[in-house]
Amino acid sequence: MSTAVQTPPQFVPTESQLHVAYSVCRGITRSQAKNFYYGFLVLPKRKRQALSAVYAFMRRCDDIADDPSLSARERQQKLDIWLDAFHAAQAGSPTDDPVLLALTDAQRRFHIPLGLLDALAFGTAMDVEQTDVEQNPDQPATPGLQVQYRSFQDLELYCYHVASVVGLVCIRIFGYTDPAAEPLAEKCGLAFQLTNIIRDVKEDAAVGRIYLPQDELEQSGISATDLTSARDASRVRPLLELQAQRAFENYRAGDELLHFIAEDSQPALWVLVNIYRSLLEKIVRLNYDVFTRKVSLTFREKLTILSKGFLKRIL
């Protein structure tokens, strides 16, 4: 008598469960995604829902990686558990987590490679790993401060996992057929992340993280402690300007990418690129003063860009 191994049936959520799950993700995106949310608004509903699910997944990863109440080891363990839960949901195991419900549905609908979603989680884990790395013996000892990456090439690898991969996921949802879209999406993500690094340089330093490359800091004669205050911001400005030049060069890829993605998604990408590029342009106009203020676009400035995006969708 043969005993065939039977595969347990895959869990299939009901429409009402998915409706609630996507609603939760939309709420997370609306409250947390200060810039990305505006781009989502001009997408068709099914694509807007999918991007909200991806953002909510990323947000959960970030929240675990940045939890100050946990040690680095505990954060890594919690990230591993979260990723295991995601893999189980993808394999068809039941889950009542709304983010995993929505993300699993979105991944299947838009054929998002699982490796890309794993890479998103890995990107947040890179910050956790750096917490446990001993201070670089070649850099001045600065209690609580740590330069995360030794060179721009190292920083690019980090940006790939936390931002370029996001671009690759987004274009799966936007829709494209020409593989030439992929390197453009990667460059666009790099531009976004460099903009965030410039804007948040003081804020990141305050929690012990320096994302400007170590070799460029040394060449500029800047120490990690110089980034925690505005005592001599003029010395830091040329280094921030260098990152801005790199970002502006990569924003051109966003303009090119518009022509490769589905027409119904082009207004959303246009809004996203122009919100982030406008933020960087504002930083430049303020002479890179990111030390005495948190630079951001006003609601009116974002609304102006969003309105133009809606017009592009209509026309």
Side-chain angles (χ1 to χ4, degrees), residues 127 130 135 139-140 142-151 155 158 197 200-218 222-229 236 239-240 291:
D127 278 336
Q130 288 292 337
Q135 185 85 9
Q139 75 182 60
T142 309
L145 281 174
Q146 184 168 270
V147 179
Q148 304 291 91
Y149 302 102
R150 294 173 183 259
S151 67
L155 178 61
Y158 167 75
I197 288 171
D200 298 336
V201 63
K202 183 183 177 183
E203 184 178 308
D204 288 334
V207 294
R209 292 174 179 170
I210 307 296
Y211 290 100
L212 298 175
Q214 174 67 35
D215 57 357
E216 294 178 1
L217 285 167
E218 292 174 351
I222 299 169
S223 69
T225 53
D226 291 329
L227 302 177
T228 62
S229 69
V236 182
L239 186 51
L240 297 183
F291 294 94

Side-chain angles (χ1 to χ4, degrees), residues 233-274:
S234 62
R235 293 179 58 234
V236 182
R237 192 175 301 125
L239 186 51
L240 297 183
E241 186 175 15
L242 173 60
Q243 314 312 319
Q245 289 171 351
R246 289 166 169 159
F248 281 127
E249 289 171 5
N250 283 283
Y251 275 121
R252 296 194 191 104
D255 297 329
E256 294 180 51
L257 182 59
L258 279 171
H259 307 293
F260 287 89
I261 64 172
E263 189 174 348
D264 65 356
S265 299
Q266 290 175 6
L269 177 61
W270 185 90
V271 169
L272 286 171
V273 169
N274 279 280

Side-chain angles (χ1 to χ4, degrees), residues 35 38-39 188 192 195 248 251 254-255 258 266-282 285 297 301-302 304-306 308-309 312:
N35 292 319
Y38 287 86
C188 191
F192 286 4
T195 301
F248 281 127
Y251 275 121
D255 297 329
L258 279 171
Q266 290 175 6
L269 177 61
W270 185 90
V271 169
L272 286 171
V273 169
N274 279 280
I275 281 180
Y276 271 88
R277 182 160 46 198
S278 296
L279 173 59
L280 184 55
E281 290 169 347
K282 189 171 188 176
R285 289 197 304 273
L297 296 185
E301 289 169 331
K302 292 178 183 178
T304 298
I305 296 172
L306 178 62
K308 292 178 180 178
K312 287 180 178 291

Side-chain angles (χ1 to χ4, degrees), residues 54 65-66 88 94 99 107 120 122 135 142 148 163 197 213 216 232 238 244 251-252 254 256 299 313:
V54 170
D66 293 337
V99 174
Q107 183 272 327
L120 289 180
F122 176 76
Q135 185 85 9
T142 309
Q148 304 291 91
I197 288 171
E216 294 178 1
D232 194 2
Y251 275 121
R252 296 194 191 104
E256 294 180 51
F299 176 72
R313 179 176 175 181

